[in-house]
Each structure stands twice: as structure tokens, then as C-alpha cells.
Amino acid sequence: MKSIGGFYYVRCENTEYECKARGSFRKSGSSPVVGDRVKISVPDDGFCAVEEILPRKNKLKRPALANIDVLVIVCSTVDPKPNFTIIDKMTAAAVNNAMTPVIVVSKNDLQNGDEVAEIYRKSGIAVFQCAPGSADEAQALLGYLRGKVSAFTGNSGVGKSTLLNMLFPELELQTGQISEKLGRGRHTTRVVELFEQNGCYVADTPGFSTVDLQRYEMIDKERLQYCFPEFEDYLGQCQFTSCAHICEKGCAVLEALREGKIAPTRHKSYVAMYEEVKDLKPWQFK
Ligand SMILES: Nc1nc2c(ncn2[C@@H]2O[C@H](COP(=O)(O)OP(=O)(O)O)[C@@H](O)[C@H]2O)c(=O)[nH]1
Ligand SMILES: [Mg+2]
Ligand SMILES: [Zn+2]
């Protein structure tokens, strides 16, 4: 649940155990991180210890988190306007890391967000549309997050803190901060923690800064197509087996795009990401 100063706080049933890690973890360079499923020993006297880390389904470096189920990507209708390239990089990075991307469209009271929402629904991604007072939508999102470990991300000002306060009132996060750095400054040490309420586990990263996948994550050109869920039905149906779905003749993805089955902004993001990585050598990844 939490890692601070060499101690690990491990939840087992309803008890939290303060544990040290076995020295062997340090030698192997794979110490436990928040979100890990672990085996611990609980002696009659002395320190509890993390004995074993179970296999991870994913792991982020910054913040150090493991086993994230859901990446909640918050974007607002206005103030700031959605940046589709960034949003789509996040959804792709989530899929590439075995996380389920979810889109929250905020500020529907300022401008209707149906068009943005439709782009992602059409892409097979769950969408929630929030505005102050839209308690039903917040409840639906809470229901979706129950039993899962989630992390929140999105540009500064989109309403992450506002949303988290709506979902988890006891967090009492400050909202309307100009810079995420302000929030970070309040923490003197870098604590990473999972916050649990109603069976939802949310990554409380320092100052609730965003989980920034896209800056550290590049997806190679062969894998990229699989990170856009709406392409799936058409993959393998192109005229050329090596089709990159950019401008090729007989491309089933481009045909779906023309027929309106794939959103133009999504394909545009795919092309932009493809262009970024197409000339990179394998050693330039990670
Ligand atoms: N009208 C409106 N304002 C919102 C909504 N969500 C957030 N805000 C405002 O947008 C500003 C930024 O919100 P905040 O939660 O701090 O964004 P964060 O930077 O992503 O954490 C604040 O002034 C909020 O009051 C919303 O759904 N509707
Ligand atoms: Mg905030
Ligand atoms: Zn194709």
C-alpha cells in the first residue's frame, strides 16, 4: 500500500503490516514497489519482512507503481481543450502496459462533451462524462474502479483533483492550482501510496501529479497497431501483410476510417506516433 524510508506497508485482509524488505532484494535490484503483491513473514517478535514479490503485470518507474489495472485519463471539453495526440498516446501506452484505459470527459457544464466522448466510445474505450453535480456519472465511475488499482492522469487544469474529491471526499485535494509543482512541493519526501476507499485503490502519487506514461514510453512500429483497440477487427485483412495502415492500397484500417468506423483523430494520432518511431533502432527504445 505504501513505501517510505525503507519500510513497506502491506495490507493482508484488514491488517496492515509494517515490513522491511529482505536484503536479497537490494542485491537483485528489484525491491518491492507500491502495488506489488507480496509474501510476507510475520514473526512473534522482530520485524515483519517482505519475502517474495509475486509476478507483476506491469510496472511504472515514475512514480514507482506496479500492477495498475486502470489508467483514468481525464480531459476537459474546454479550459484546456482536449489534446488528442496526448490523450491517444496515453491510451496506447496504457494498452501497451496491460492497463485498461478509461476516459473521463470533464467540464460538460461549460461545453457539451458528447463529441469527444463518442470518439472514445467508438474506439472501444469506456467513457464517463463529468460535471459538477453529475453524481450518477461519478457513481458509475466508482463502480467501475471497484476492486481495481487505478492511477489518474491528464493535463494540468483538466479537473483531476476536482474529480478525485468528488469520488473520494476525504482526500480534500486542493483544486485550481496553477502548477502541479505546487502540489509536489508540499511533500518533503517522495511517498507513493495506494489510497483505498470502497474497494477502490487509487495511486496517490506525490501531490497527485500525473502519471506521465507518454514521456517515458515509446511503442515500436509493429506493436503500435495493437495499442489502438478499434483497429483490431481490421488487422490481418489488409492487402499487404506488412501494411502499416498509413496510406497503403487495400488497407482495411483506412477503409474503416473512410466508412466512419474509426475516428479520424484516432487514426491521425496513430500516424503521428508511427512517424515518431518508424526510423528508430531497437536499442533506442527504453
Ligand atoms: N465548470 C467546471 N469547472 C471544473 C470542472 N472540473 C474542474 N473544474 C475547475 O477547473 C479548475 C482546475 O481543476 P483541478 O481539479 O484543479 O484540475 P487538475 O489540475 O487536473 O487537478 C478548477 O478551477 C476547478 O474548479 C467541471 O467539471 N466543470
Ligand atoms: Mg490537481
Ligand atoms: Zn492496413
Side-chain angles (χ1 to χ4, degrees):
M1 298 298 293
K2 180 165 132 184
S3 145
I4 179 168
F7 286 96
Y8 301 91
Y9 296 83
V10 179
R11 175 83 58 91
C12 180
E13 312 252 285
N14 288 320
T15 311
E16 197 158 285
Y17 296 90
E18 186 184 68
C19 301
K20 293 211 149 209
R22 285 259 168 264
S24 56
F25 286 125
R26 206 159 302 151
K27 270 173 239 145
S28 68
S30 66
S31 15
V33 299
V34 170
D36 267 329
R37 311 286 155 84
V38 297
K39 290 185 178 173
I40 62 170
S41 55
V42 182
D44 289 334
D45 54 354
F47 283 109
C48 301
V50 177
E51 301 284 347
E52 190 185 332
I53 304 169
L54 301 186
R56 293 167 174 150
K57 86 166 183 179
N58 53 44
K59 179 169 176 277
L60 297 183
K61 276 208 186 87
R62 258 180 290 170
L65 284 167
N67 299 316
I68 298 171
D69 297 311
V70 179
L71 185 70
V72 181
I73 302 160
V74 186
C75 63
S76 45
T77 54
V78 282
D79 257 346
K81 275 185 173 309
N83 180 328
F84 292 115
T85 315
I86 290 179
I87 297 167
D88 296 338
K89 279 185 174 179
M90 303 298 304
T91 66
V95 172
N96 197 37
N97 282 281
M99 302 170 198
T100 305
V102 166
I103 299 284
V104 172
V105 183
S106 66
K107 309 198 187 183
N108 285 271
D109 54 320
L110 298 181
Q111 187 173 306
N112 184 298
D114 290 351
E115 220 171 288
V116 180
E118 185 50 30
I119 290 172
Y120 292 97
R121 289 211 179 94
K122 193 189 261 190
S123 310
I125 294 171
V127 181
F128 297 88
Q129 280 175 269
C130 290
S134 60
D136 287 356
E137 226 23 33
Q139 279 308 310
L141 177 57
L142 262 186
Y144 186 95
L145 298 179
R146 192 149 297 148
K148 299 183 183 121
V149 176
S150 52
F152 283 62
T153 188
N155 265 348
S156 184
V158 294
K160 291 179 299 296
S161 302
T162 304
L163 174 68
L164 284 158
N165 283 337
M166 189 148 63
L167 299 175
F168 311 105
E170 73 185 52
L171 275 176
E172 294 181 1
L173 296 172
Q174 286 184 40
T175 59
Q177 289 173 341
I178 295 155
S179 165
E180 295 284 341
K181 287 202 181 77
L182 285 174
R184 203 169 290 160
R186 286 182 296 144
H187 295 262
T188 44
T189 48
R190 288 183 68 88
V191 185
V192 181
E193 187 171 6
L194 284 185
F195 176 83
E196 193 266 328
Q197 190 165 299
N198 299 327
C200 303
Y201 293 87
V202 180
D204 178 3
T205 61
F208 262 114
S209 61
T210 70
V211 169
D212 188 354
L213 277 175
Q214 57 136 357
R215 204 183 310 166
Y216 309 108
E217 175 89 5
M218 296 235 256
I219 304 168
D220 71 55
K221 60 178 191 280
E222 278 79 25
R223 279 179 77 132
L224 191 58
Q225 57 191 327
Y226 300 104
C227 297
F228 284 73
E230 71 271 42
F231 288 11
E232 204 178 295
D233 286 347
Y234 312 106
L235 299 180
Q237 294 181 27
C238 303
Q239 186 174 339
F240 303 105
T241 46
S242 63
C243 186
H245 328 300
I246 304 288
C247 59
E248 293 84 347
K249 201 165 125 244
C251 172
V253 171
L254 290 173
E255 180 60 23
L257 175 69
R258 277 191 294 270
E259 289 172 359
K261 292 173 183 157
I262 290 175
T265 57
R266 293 279 291 170
H267 186 260
K268 196 173 160 216
S269 296
Y270 167 80
V271 173
M273 291 173 77
Y274 189 92
E275 294 295 327
E276 269 176 33
V277 296
K278 75 177 194 315
D279 298 325
L280 293 183
K281 302 283 175 292
W283 50 266
Q284 287 173 297
F285 287 89
K286 286 265 149 119

